Amino acid sequence: AQTVTQSQPEMSVQEAETVTLSCTYDTSESDYYLFWYKQPPSRQMILVIRQEAYKQQNATENRFSVNFQKAAKSFSLKISDSQLGDAAMYFCAYRSARRLNTNAGKSTFGDGTTLTVKP
Amino acid sequence: NAGVTQTPKFRILKIGQSMTLQCAQDMNHNYMYWYRQDPGMGLKLIYYSVGAGITDKGEVPNGYNVSRSTTEDFPLRLELAAPSQTSVYFCASSYVNTEAFFGQGTRLTVV
């Protein structure tokens, strides 16, 4: 079974600084998708960034980038120039790319990291 | 597009009662999911579906049932509610290779 581990329950960062959130996962599959979601106090889940396992290039979205290490099964999120609005709970998620049989479409989340941004 | 719509937003149930949480999406997504989120915790997968007529158990399926008779709808049934089912429930949908789109959540309290 796939598992996702976020080893940092809480992180804090000074405004305008850079912070990295860790995520590791366990799978026997070779093709899958990885996501980072943000959940502010409103509870709404918001996509931050996504990565396809077959792509070697790390995904980037403005101030957000990932360090995807497939062999190490690691998928960390770097937030540059942190802003007060980045404060939220961040979830790492894994989804199988299988379209048939066991685990097709199955999607698993980590327990989350609460990020505090200090002014 | 309304996206993913969950009803109700809030509900209080008594122990032993049953209810159905409704979820509908208008994006023609083939994948749909039900998660529960306990306070300060992550999302635990209850059930998921890769298409109409196909459902499968997630990590915490006990005490719940689902059906998927259409692409759009994916209701979650709670039978014999227990205090341990007090949680926030999220429905989500996606295509095979896209991110999941989430509903606003249903806060359920069992007393």
Side-chain angles (χ1 to χ4, degrees):
Chain A
Q2 295 89 356
T3 58
V4 177
T5 302
Q6 293 180 248
S7 59
Q8 307 152 316
E10 297 177 350
M11 292 284 284
S12 67
V13 64
Q14 206 71 33
E15 195 176 5
E17 297 294 309
T18 296
V19 65
T20 298
L21 308 184
S22 301
C23 173
T24 58
Y25 57 94
D26 187 25
T27 184
S28 59
E29 298 175 340
S30 60
D31 197 14
Y32 47 86
Y33 304 99
L34 296 166
F35 306 89
W36 277 99
Y37 291 91
K38 170 184 177 181
Q39 187 182 42
S42 66
R43 258 180 15 208
Q44 182 63 38
M45 295 289 286
I46 303 164
L47 177 73
V48 175
I49 202 165
R50 55 174 277 182
Q51 175 83 42
E52 291 89 344
Y54 66 86
K55 289 186 177 179
Q56 293 185 341
Q57 188 172 5
N58 289 324
T60 300
E61 284 288 340
N62 300 317
R63 297 182 295 108
F64 299 88
S65 61
V66 297
N67 183 4
F68 173 48
Q69 301 289 329
K70 190 171 184 179
K73 297 179 183 174
S74 171
F75 183 60
S76 61
L77 174 70
K78 185 171 84 171
I79 306 174
S80 304
D81 186 25
S82 297
Q83 300 175 0
L84 295 176
D86 294 334
M89 199 158 186
Y90 286 81
F91 293 100
C92 178
Y94 169 104
R95 184 194 302 151
S96 171
R98 285 186 181 183
R99 300 191 184 209
L100 296 171
N101 302 322
T102 306
N103 290 332
K106 190 173 185 180
S107 183
T108 305
F109 280 70
D111 285 336
T113 296
T114 300
L115 178 66
T116 302
V117 181
K118 298 178 180 178
Chain B
N1 286 352
V4 179
T5 303
Q6 285 184 240
T7 54
K9 288 186 171 53
F10 304 92
R11 182 73 185 266
I12 298 175
L13 276 183
K14 293 185 178 179
I15 294 172
Q17 287 185 322
S18 300
M19 77 165 293
T20 299
L21 280 65
Q22 300 291 344
C23 177
Q25 53 95 5
D26 61 359
M27 296 172 282
N28 203 32
H29 287 161
N30 46 348
Y31 289 0
M32 294 190 75
Y33 305 87
W34 274 106
Y35 294 92
R36 60 175 287 173
Q37 184 179 28
D38 297 334
M41 302 298 289
L43 279 72
K44 298 297 182 188
L45 182 63
I46 304 171
Y47 271 96
Y48 65 106
S49 168
V50 298
I54 306 169
T55 62
D56 211 341
K57 295 179 180 179
E59 304 163 83
V60 290
N62 291 344
Y64 307 95
N65 273 302
V66 294
S67 60
R68 183 112 181 257
S69 56
T70 67
T71 299
E72 295 79 18
D73 300 299
F74 191 43
L76 177 72
R77 177 81 177 164
L78 278 72
E79 304 283 0
L80 299 175
S84 60
Q85 293 178 305
T86 293
S87 191
V88 177
Y89 291 83
F90 286 98
C91 179
S93 70
S94 73
Y95 288 120
V96 169
N97 60 349
T98 66
E99 72 273 21
F101 291 80
F102 285 80
Q104 295 286 344
T106 296
R107 184 179 293 277
L108 176 67
T109 303
V110 181
V111 296

